[in-house]
Amino acid sequence: MKIGDKLINKVKEKITIHEIYRQPEDQITITVDRNDLPETVRILYYDLGGWLSSMIPNDERQINGNFALYYVLSMEGGKMTPEDELPQDEKCWITVKTFIPANDPTFPSVTLKVPAAVWYEREAYDMFGLTAIGLPDPRRLVVSDDWPEGLFPLRKDAMDYRHRPDPVDHKDEPEAKFLKPEGAGVLDVPLGPLHITSDEPGHFRLYCDGDTIIDADYRLFYQHRGMEKLAENRMNYDQMGYLAERVCGICGYAHAIGCIEAAEKAIGLEIPLRAQAMRVICLEIERLHSHLLNIGLACEVTGNVNAFMHIFRIREFSMELAQLVTGGRKTYGNVVMGGLRRDMTGTEIKKSLELLETIEEQTKEVWEAVMDDKNQVDRWKGVGLLDKQVARDFSPVGPNIRGCGFKRDSRYDHPYDFLTQLDFEIPTENGCDVFARETVRYRELLESVSIIRQCFEMMPGGLTVIKPQTMIKPGAYAIGNDEAPRGENIHWIMHGNAQKVYRWRCRAATYNNWTSLRYQFRGNTIADAALIVCSLDPCYSCTERVTVVDINSKKTKILTYQDLKRYSQSSKNHPLKNM
Amino acid sequence: MKLLDMTKKYGKATYKYPLEPYEVSEGFRGKPSYTYDNCIGCTACGVACPSNAINVKLNEDKTKLVWEFDAARCIFCGRCDEVCPTGAIVLSQEFELAVKFDKNNLKERGELDVEYCEVCNKPFTTKRLISYILHRLEKVGWDKETLGEKVKYAKTCPTCKREEKVEVITKYLKRGTK
């Protein structure tokens, strides 16, 4: 009996499965009828303990005349209680695939049964024109509000990647619609177009009653760069890794690995042990500097600039470490198909071990000092609660969900290659609040240090790169997963002709975290809004101002970045006092 | 208070950059530095470059092979360094790449003399590449005499070589049928 067969037999009892296809052994694709789609995903998600990891719409009209949808579920158990988890050797990926005829591009919405699918289905319409019937929130997600109606960029016949539709005149620009709660006395606070901690674009609307947020909505994707379109049919795998690395400014390496690993898995290519170990090292270095950045910012946004500076001082050591291992502080440009470009010398390993020592020691010292500060801890505790059931419904990832007591980690659930030889723990906390998430991050820092140390000690010899001998198989596809600092990154690659990519779907960790953010805002004060967003460690490009709308008087006020930051740090002189 | 004590303990963490030089680690991948004298115009770097920062093309009147590097497009991956057979392009420690006003200052150029095909007289590669090949052959033990015979062959462009081969083979085959 192969891995995952048990689960599939359970699905078979209720649903007709047309085809079962295995990519690598633990990645199974089942094809079902379009109308069975929502029920299949629901059974897998709630009854059999799956989490929605990604959804890939694909234009396969050139191959078989249809569009196709792939719902990727990570089967690992519901994890609501410690017992509710699949045994380690039964964890796998199950992809539910369905065909959509080209002349009728609609499908029944899965969101009604599994809320986690909402963003994916909105995106499916934006990019491919596939309409989810019954989708409760059919607004645009990815393309801008003035994007021409009926132009679906990722359809193969829609447009060239260089095409830019004419911009709409500023006065004709359509207004983005926000979901508003009804009732008297609701204040509308826009937070954006740049976020306060991460200085990246995103527009938040906070609906407040007095100082309390009762609901929130947001408009993101101001920085959509069309990378998926750029890669399709054009880039070869030598270039793909470098492009994927530029998805994110912080966890670029995780994307490069996810992308290249997806391509490698699709053809069953195994890379040398030494390269595997070094890939793990680089991923953990990235976690070091990303978590230090986030803990630092969480201190800064609450006014603890002193701690922020100390944490950033330590972070500099992790950047030096990255430079030692890869030759670059941030963009490592290291991953190629078949392994890694750059090897390490013995001296470099020795120096790295010394740096690790410093990082570990000083991180502990600063964290102790921060925990000593009662004001700081009080600002974090009880803020931005993520309800356990909401978390289960929306499949968040990373420290966000581990702060709610779910032991969900890609390294633990779907380990591969060198990870299976390492000994590490997955820290979880039960607080569900900002404090819990930061504590998880701190404990992960120490775990990362230990993982890197183990890798250096066990460092296998040999080559770091092999020439991929296997030819790319057109139509083969696979999932590449890894645990980035913010959570699990999923890359899905379908090979095309002539060593090019047919479809690349990149799902960054934060994509899964955004949908549940709305529930995290509720019941908190405006002063904590920036902190809550910060605790997600969001990865988008953030907001200069916040609009506040008073539900009673219908008055609006725009708060600047400085206003909000000052209030968030000092909690004095309420910015809305004179409204 | 603990944090303030730590500040005292660790002292300054910053550098006086740009007043003092900032030292990067040994393996740092900075701006690719180009040594014109070593370049043979083999175009390996141009092919390897994933971001098209290096372009190697004939100029308009086909008298020179132009090697051009645009630092603004470079992603410092080091592929060019890996493939260069003569070490003409090596990643340096240099990271201060800002230019004032004119983006053309980010570009570097090298012009190499072109070798013309002895048969069709079209430009096909650089003089340096040919001499590099002959030099290498000499090093592996070819004597002057054999080399002298092969010079003409080396100076023929691939298209002409192919045509010549085809001609020879057809002649041979025709003779065979007779």
Side-chain angles (χ1 to χ4, degrees), chain A residues 20 29 57 72 89 100 145 150 153 166 170 173 252 280 283 289 323 372 385 401 459 471 481 500 516 527 535:
Chain A
I20 298 175
T29 306
V72 179
D89 55 352
I100 299 178
D145 295 305
D166 295 330
H170 187 60
E173 224 172 280
V280 173
L283 279 175
H289 80 69
Q323 213 180 53
D372 240 27
L385 288 174
I401 192 155
M459 196 69 150
M471 285 299 285
N481 68 298
K500 301 275 162 72
S516 54
S535 77

PDB file of all heavy atoms in Angstrom, chain A residues 20 29 57 72 89 100 145 150 153 166 170 173 252 280 283 289 323 372 385 401 459 471 481 500 516 527 535:
ATOM      1  N   ILE A  20      -5.957   8.764 -10.812  1.00  0.00           N
ATOM      2  CA  ILE A  20      -5.008   9.042  -9.733  1.00  0.00           C
ATOM      3  C   ILE A  20      -3.619   9.115 -10.354  1.00  0.00           C
ATOM      4  O   ILE A  20      -3.216   8.235 -11.090  1.00  0.00           O
ATOM      5  CB  ILE A  20      -5.037   7.958  -8.651  1.00  0.00           C
ATOM      6  CG1 ILE A  20      -6.430   7.913  -8.020  1.00  0.00           C
ATOM      7  CG2 ILE A  20      -3.979   8.217  -7.594  1.00  0.00           C
ATOM      8  CD1 ILE A  20      -6.624   6.813  -7.026  1.00  0.00           C
ATOM      9  N   THR A  29      -2.264  13.354  -7.170  1.00  0.00           N
ATOM     10  CA  THR A  29      -3.307  14.171  -7.782  1.00  0.00           C
ATOM     11  C   THR A  29      -4.504  13.296  -8.089  1.00  0.00           C
ATOM     12  O   THR A  29      -4.358  12.253  -8.728  1.00  0.00           O
ATOM     13  CB  THR A  29      -2.798  14.803  -9.085  1.00  0.00           C
ATOM     14  OG1 THR A  29      -1.606  15.505  -8.799  1.00  0.00           O
ATOM     15  CG2 THR A  29      -3.813  15.765  -9.644  1.00  0.00           C
ATOM     16  N   PRO A  57      -4.963  27.640 -10.750  1.00  0.00           N
ATOM     17  CA  PRO A  57      -5.720  27.589 -11.995  1.00  0.00           C
ATOM     18  C   PRO A  57      -4.708  27.492 -13.132  1.00  0.00           C
ATOM     19  O   PRO A  57      -3.634  28.056 -13.041  1.00  0.00           O
ATOM     20  CB  PRO A  57      -6.453  28.931 -12.035  1.00  0.00           C
ATOM     21  CG  PRO A  57      -6.027  29.681 -10.827  1.00  0.00           C
ATOM     22  CD  PRO A  57      -4.844  29.018 -10.247  1.00  0.00           C
ATOM     23  N   VAL A  72      -4.446  22.206  -3.851  1.00  0.00           N
ATOM     24  CA  VAL A  72      -3.388  21.453  -3.176  1.00  0.00           C
ATOM     25  C   VAL A  72      -3.665  21.419  -1.673  1.00  0.00           C
ATOM     26  O   VAL A  72      -3.754  22.460  -1.029  1.00  0.00           O
ATOM     27  CB  VAL A  72      -2.012  22.091  -3.422  1.00  0.00           C
ATOM     28  CG1 VAL A  72      -0.936  21.314  -2.696  1.00  0.00           C
ATOM     29  CG2 VAL A  72      -1.723  22.152  -4.898  1.00  0.00           C
ATOM     30  N   ASP A  89       4.245   8.841   8.806  1.00  0.00           N
ATOM     31  CA  ASP A  89       4.438   8.212   7.492  1.00  0.00           C
ATOM     32  C   ASP A  89       3.180   8.248   6.623  1.00  0.00           C
ATOM     33  O   ASP A  89       3.152   7.695   5.543  1.00  0.00           O
ATOM     34  CB  ASP A  89       4.947   6.772   7.661  1.00  0.00           C
ATOM     35  CG  ASP A  89       4.022   5.963   8.546  1.00  0.00           C
ATOM     36  OD1 ASP A  89       3.103   6.567   9.131  1.00  0.00           O
ATOM     37  OD2 ASP A  89       4.206   4.742   8.633  1.00  0.00           O
ATOM     38  N   ILE A 100     -12.173  22.287 -16.453  1.00  0.00           N
ATOM     39  CA  ILE A 100     -13.252  23.231 -16.733  1.00  0.00           C
ATOM     40  C   ILE A 100     -13.276  23.453 -18.234  1.00  0.00           C
ATOM     41  O   ILE A 100     -12.272  23.890 -18.800  1.00  0.00           O
ATOM     42  CB  ILE A 100     -13.002  24.565 -16.017  1.00  0.00           C
ATOM     43  CG1 ILE A 100     -12.948  24.319 -14.516  1.00  0.00           C
ATOM     44  CG2 ILE A 100     -14.074  25.568 -16.359  1.00  0.00           C
ATOM     45  CD1 ILE A 100     -12.652  25.538 -13.726  1.00  0.00           C
ATOM     46  N   ASP A 145      -8.040  48.118  -9.896  1.00  0.00           N
ATOM     47  CA  ASP A 145      -9.453  48.397 -10.168  1.00  0.00           C
ATOM     48  C   ASP A 145      -9.679  48.971 -11.561  1.00  0.00           C
ATOM     49  O   ASP A 145     -10.761  48.878 -12.109  1.00  0.00           O
ATOM     50  CB  ASP A 145      -9.984  49.370  -9.115  1.00  0.00           C
ATOM     51  CG  ASP A 145      -9.968  48.735  -7.741  1.00  0.00           C
ATOM     52  OD1 ASP A 145     -10.551  47.650  -7.601  1.00  0.00           O
ATOM     53  OD2 ASP A 145      -9.351  49.292  -6.826  1.00  0.00           O
ATOM     54  N   GLY A 150     -12.417  41.875 -18.782  1.00  0.00           N
ATOM     55  CA  GLY A 150     -12.297  40.841 -19.810  1.00  0.00           C
ATOM     56  C   GLY A 150     -10.890  40.557 -20.293  1.00  0.00           C
ATOM     57  O   GLY A 150     -10.695  39.759 -21.198  1.00  0.00           O
ATOM     58  N   PRO A 153      -4.873  38.184 -17.677  1.00  0.00           N
ATOM     59  CA  PRO A 153      -3.470  38.169 -18.057  1.00  0.00           C
ATOM     60  C   PRO A 153      -2.818  36.797 -18.177  1.00  0.00           C
ATOM     61  O   PRO A 153      -1.942  36.616 -19.010  1.00  0.00           O
ATOM     62  CB  PRO A 153      -2.787  38.992 -16.967  1.00  0.00           C
ATOM     63  CG  PRO A 153      -3.793  39.293 -15.950  1.00  0.00           C
ATOM     64  CD  PRO A 153      -5.129  39.034 -16.508  1.00  0.00           C
ATOM     65  N   ASP A 166      -3.575  50.705 -21.230  1.00  0.00           N
ATOM     66  CA  ASP A 166      -3.507  52.146 -20.990  1.00  0.00           C
ATOM     67  C   ASP A 166      -4.042  52.467 -19.600  1.00  0.00           C
ATOM     68  O   ASP A 166      -5.078  51.939 -19.202  1.00  0.00           O
ATOM     69  CB  ASP A 166      -4.354  52.894 -22.039  1.00  0.00           C
ATOM     70  CG  ASP A 166      -3.752  52.704 -23.410  1.00  0.00           C
ATOM     71  OD1 ASP A 166      -2.519  52.545 -23.473  1.00  0.00           O
ATOM     72  OD2 ASP A 166      -4.508  52.689 -24.396  1.00  0.00           O
ATOM     73  N   HIS A 170      -6.974  59.676 -13.812  1.00  0.00           N
ATOM     74  CA  HIS A 170      -7.128  59.629 -12.365  1.00  0.00           C
ATOM     75  C   HIS A 170      -8.566  59.842 -11.911  1.00  0.00           C
ATOM     76  O   HIS A 170      -9.072  59.170 -11.015  1.00  0.00           O
ATOM     77  CB  HIS A 170      -6.219  60.669 -11.724  1.00  0.00           C
ATOM     78  CG  HIS A 170      -6.194  60.568 -10.231  1.00  0.00           C
ATOM     79  ND1 HIS A 170      -5.767  59.421  -9.593  1.00  0.00           N
ATOM     80  CD2 HIS A 170      -6.591  61.427  -9.262  1.00  0.00           C
ATOM     81  CE1 HIS A 170      -5.879  59.596  -8.288  1.00  0.00           C
ATOM     82  NE2 HIS A 170      -6.372  60.795  -8.068  1.00  0.00           N
ATOM     83  N   GLU A 173     -10.862  56.795 -12.307  1.00  0.00           N
ATOM     84  CA  GLU A 173     -10.441  55.577 -11.637  1.00  0.00           C
ATOM     85  C   GLU A 173     -11.540  55.029 -10.741  1.00  0.00           C
ATOM     86  O   GLU A 173     -12.085  55.756  -9.923  1.00  0.00           O
ATOM     87  CB  GLU A 173      -9.223  55.910 -10.776  1.00  0.00           C
ATOM     88  CG  GLU A 173      -8.130  54.889 -10.885  1.00  0.00           C
ATOM     89  CD  GLU A 173      -6.891  55.362 -10.174  1.00  0.00           C
ATOM     90  OE1 GLU A 173      -6.138  56.182 -10.751  1.00  0.00           O
ATOM     91  OE2 GLU A 173      -6.712  54.930  -9.051  1.00  0.00           O
ATOM     92  N   GLY A 252      13.920  35.555   0.205  1.00  0.00           N
ATOM     93  CA  GLY A 252      14.143  35.220  -1.198  1.00  0.00           C
ATOM     94  C   GLY A 252      14.687  33.821  -1.412  1.00  0.00           C
ATOM     95  O   GLY A 252      14.282  33.122  -2.342  1.00  0.00           O
ATOM     96  N   VAL A 280      19.735  23.684   3.506  1.00  0.00           N
ATOM     97  CA  VAL A 280      19.104  23.798   4.823  1.00  0.00           C
ATOM     98  C   VAL A 280      19.766  24.924   5.617  1.00  0.00           C
ATOM     99  O   VAL A 280      19.087  25.747   6.233  1.00  0.00           O
ATOM    100  CB  VAL A 280      19.194  22.463   5.588  1.00  0.00           C
ATOM    101  CG1 VAL A 280      18.693  22.625   7.005  1.00  0.00           C
ATOM    102  CG2 VAL A 280      18.404  21.389   4.885  1.00  0.00           C
ATOM    103  N   LEU A 283      18.549  28.309   4.439  1.00  0.00           N
ATOM    104  CA  LEU A 283      17.164  28.570   4.836  1.00  0.00           C
ATOM    105  C   LEU A 283      17.116  28.997   6.305  1.00  0.00           C
ATOM    106  O   LEU A 283      16.364  29.895   6.673  1.00  0.00           O
ATOM    107  CB  LEU A 283      16.314  27.308   4.651  1.00  0.00           C
ATOM    108  CG  LEU A 283      15.831  27.035   3.239  1.00  0.00           C
ATOM    109  CD1 LEU A 283      15.118  25.701   3.179  1.00  0.00           C
ATOM    110  CD2 LEU A 283      14.890  28.124   2.766  1.00  0.00           C
ATOM    111  N   HIS A 289      17.756  35.938  10.359  1.00  0.00           N
ATOM    112  CA  HIS A 289      17.700  37.398  10.176  1.00  0.00           C
ATOM    113  C   HIS A 289      16.287  37.904  10.047  1.00  0.00           C
ATOM    114  O   HIS A 289      15.963  39.001  10.475  1.00  0.00           O
ATOM    115  CB  HIS A 289      18.653  37.869   9.073  1.00  0.00           C
ATOM    116  CG  HIS A 289      18.181  37.711   7.675  1.00  0.00           C
ATOM    117  ND1 HIS A 289      17.152  38.446   7.171  1.00  0.00           N
ATOM    118  CD2 HIS A 289      18.608  36.930   6.674  1.00  0.00           C
ATOM    119  CE1 HIS A 289      16.968  38.107   5.914  1.00  0.00           C
ATOM    120  NE2 HIS A 289      17.837  37.192   5.588  1.00  0.00           N
ATOM    121  N   GLN A 323      26.831  36.165   4.388  1.00  0.00           N
ATOM    122  CA  GLN A 323      27.885  36.554   3.457  1.00  0.00           C
ATOM    123  C   GLN A 323      28.999  35.510   3.410  1.00  0.00           C
ATOM    124  O   GLN A 323      29.521  35.197   2.347  1.00  0.00           O
ATOM    125  CB  GLN A 323      28.453  37.896   3.903  1.00  0.00           C
ATOM    126  CG  GLN A 323      28.900  38.744   2.752  1.00  0.00           C
ATOM    127  CD  GLN A 323      29.442  40.063   3.241  1.00  0.00           C
ATOM    128  OE1 GLN A 323      30.310  40.124   4.081  1.00  0.00           O
ATOM    129  NE2 GLN A 323      28.931  41.124   2.718  1.00  0.00           N
ATOM    130  N   ASP A 372      11.993  41.263  30.686  1.00  0.00           N
ATOM    131  CA  ASP A 372      12.046  41.929  31.980  1.00  0.00           C
ATOM    132  C   ASP A 372      11.198  43.194  32.009  1.00  0.00           C
ATOM    133  O   ASP A 372      10.784  43.655  33.057  1.00  0.00           O
ATOM    134  CB  ASP A 372      13.509  42.325  32.241  1.00  0.00           C
ATOM    135  CG  ASP A 372      14.006  41.674  33.484  1.00  0.00           C
ATOM    136  OD1 ASP A 372      13.471  40.601  33.809  1.00  0.00           O
ATOM    137  OD2 ASP A 372      14.916  42.232  34.127  1.00  0.00           O
ATOM    138  N   LEU A 385      -5.805  38.564  18.911  1.00  0.00           N
ATOM    139  CA  LEU A 385      -6.114  37.155  19.134  1.00  0.00           C
ATOM    140  C   LEU A 385      -6.589  36.481  17.851  1.00  0.00           C
ATOM    141  O   LEU A 385      -7.439  37.004  17.141  1.00  0.00           O
ATOM    142  CB  LEU A 385      -7.195  37.015  20.203  1.00  0.00           C
ATOM    143  CG  LEU A 385      -6.753  37.333  21.627  1.00  0.00           C
ATOM    144  CD1 LEU A 385      -7.938  37.292  22.563  1.00  0.00           C
ATOM    145  CD2 LEU A 385      -5.691  36.361  22.088  1.00  0.00           C
ATOM    146  N   ILE A 401       0.332  30.568  13.073  1.00  0.00           N
ATOM    147  CA  ILE A 401      -0.496  29.449  13.519  1.00  0.00           C
ATOM    148  C   ILE A 401       0.173  28.684  14.653  1.00  0.00           C
ATOM    149  O   ILE A 401      -0.512  28.154  15.523  1.00  0.00           O
ATOM    150  CB  ILE A 401      -0.863  28.516  12.340  1.00  0.00           C
ATOM    151  CG1 ILE A 401      -1.954  27.547  12.791  1.00  0.00           C
ATOM    152  CG2 ILE A 401       0.328  27.768  11.812  1.00  0.00           C
ATOM    153  CD1 ILE A 401      -2.792  27.027  11.706  1.00  0.00           C
ATOM    154  N   MET A 459      28.310  17.965   8.048  1.00  0.00           N
ATOM    155  CA  MET A 459      28.537  18.366   6.649  1.00  0.00           C
ATOM    156  C   MET A 459      29.094  17.241   5.780  1.00  0.00           C
ATOM    157  O   MET A 459      30.257  16.851   5.907  1.00  0.00           O
ATOM    158  CB  MET A 459      29.503  19.550   6.632  1.00  0.00           C
ATOM    159  CG  MET A 459      29.511  20.269   5.322  1.00  0.00           C
ATOM    160  SD  MET A 459      27.952  21.096   5.115  1.00  0.00           S
ATOM    161  CE  MET A 459      28.468  22.467   4.139  1.00  0.00           C
ATOM    162  N   MET A 471      16.090  14.729 -19.086  1.00  0.00           N
ATOM    163  CA  MET A 471      15.475  15.802 -19.862  1.00  0.00           C
ATOM    164  C   MET A 471      14.176  16.201 -19.184  1.00  0.00           C
ATOM    165  O   MET A 471      13.507  15.394 -18.559  1.00  0.00           O
ATOM    166  CB  MET A 471      15.182  15.310 -21.284  1.00  0.00           C
ATOM    167  CG  MET A 471      16.426  15.201 -22.137  1.00  0.00           C
ATOM    168  SD  MET A 471      17.224  16.798 -22.329  1.00  0.00           S
ATOM    169  CE  MET A 471      16.122  17.555 -23.502  1.00  0.00           C
ATOM    170  N   ASN A 481       8.044  22.616  -1.672  1.00  0.00           N
ATOM    171  CA  ASN A 481       7.638  23.299  -0.440  1.00  0.00           C
ATOM    172  C   ASN A 481       8.850  23.510   0.442  1.00  0.00           C
ATOM    173  O   ASN A 481       9.803  22.743   0.419  1.00  0.00           O
ATOM    174  CB  ASN A 481       6.618  22.459   0.314  1.00  0.00           C
ATOM    175  CG  ASN A 481       7.228  21.190   0.850  1.00  0.00           C
ATOM    176  OD1 ASN A 481       7.688  20.352   0.088  1.00  0.00           O
ATOM    177  ND2 ASN A 481       7.265  21.046   2.155  1.00  0.00           N
ATOM    178  N   LYS A 500      11.459  25.040 -20.997  1.00  0.00           N
ATOM    179  CA  LYS A 500      10.872  26.257 -20.453  1.00  0.00           C
ATOM    180  C   LYS A 500       9.743  25.889 -19.492  1.00  0.00           C
ATOM    181  O   LYS A 500       9.262  24.766 -19.468  1.00  0.00           O
ATOM    182  CB  LYS A 500      10.314  27.142 -21.588  1.00  0.00           C
ATOM    183  CG  LYS A 500      11.347  27.549 -22.611  1.00  0.00           C
ATOM    184  CD  LYS A 500      12.112  28.776 -22.168  1.00  0.00           C
ATOM    185  CE  LYS A 500      13.407  28.950 -22.917  1.00  0.00           C
ATOM    186  NZ  LYS A 500      13.247  29.353 -24.271  1.00  0.00           N
ATOM    187  N   SER A 516      -7.127  35.608   7.353  1.00  0.00           N
ATOM    188  CA  SER A 516      -7.625  35.556   8.727  1.00  0.00           C
ATOM    189  C   SER A 516      -7.289  36.815   9.519  1.00  0.00           C
ATOM    190  O   SER A 516      -7.736  36.983  10.644  1.00  0.00           O
ATOM    191  CB  SER A 516      -7.062  34.327   9.438  1.00  0.00           C
ATOM    192  OG  SER A 516      -5.664  34.312   9.341  1.00  0.00           O
ATOM    193  N   ALA A 527      -4.514  51.765  18.285  1.00  0.00           N
ATOM    194  CA  ALA A 527      -3.089  51.836  18.605  1.00  0.00           C
ATOM    195  C   ALA A 527      -2.394  50.504  18.366  1.00  0.00           C
ATOM    196  O   ALA A 527      -1.202  50.464  18.116  1.00  0.00           O
ATOM    197  CB  ALA A 527      -2.895  52.258  20.053  1.00  0.00           C
ATOM    198  N   SER A 535       2.917  41.676  13.611  1.00  0.00           N
ATOM    199  CA  SER A 535       3.141  40.353  14.189  1.00  0.00           C
ATOM    200  C   SER A 535       2.919  39.235  13.179  1.00  0.00           C
ATOM    201  O   SER A 535       3.319  38.109  13.386  1.00  0.00           O
ATOM    202  CB  SER A 535       2.239  40.139  15.394  1.00  0.00           C
ATOM    203  OG  SER A 535       0.929  39.852  14.960  1.00  0.00           O
TER     204      SER A 535
END
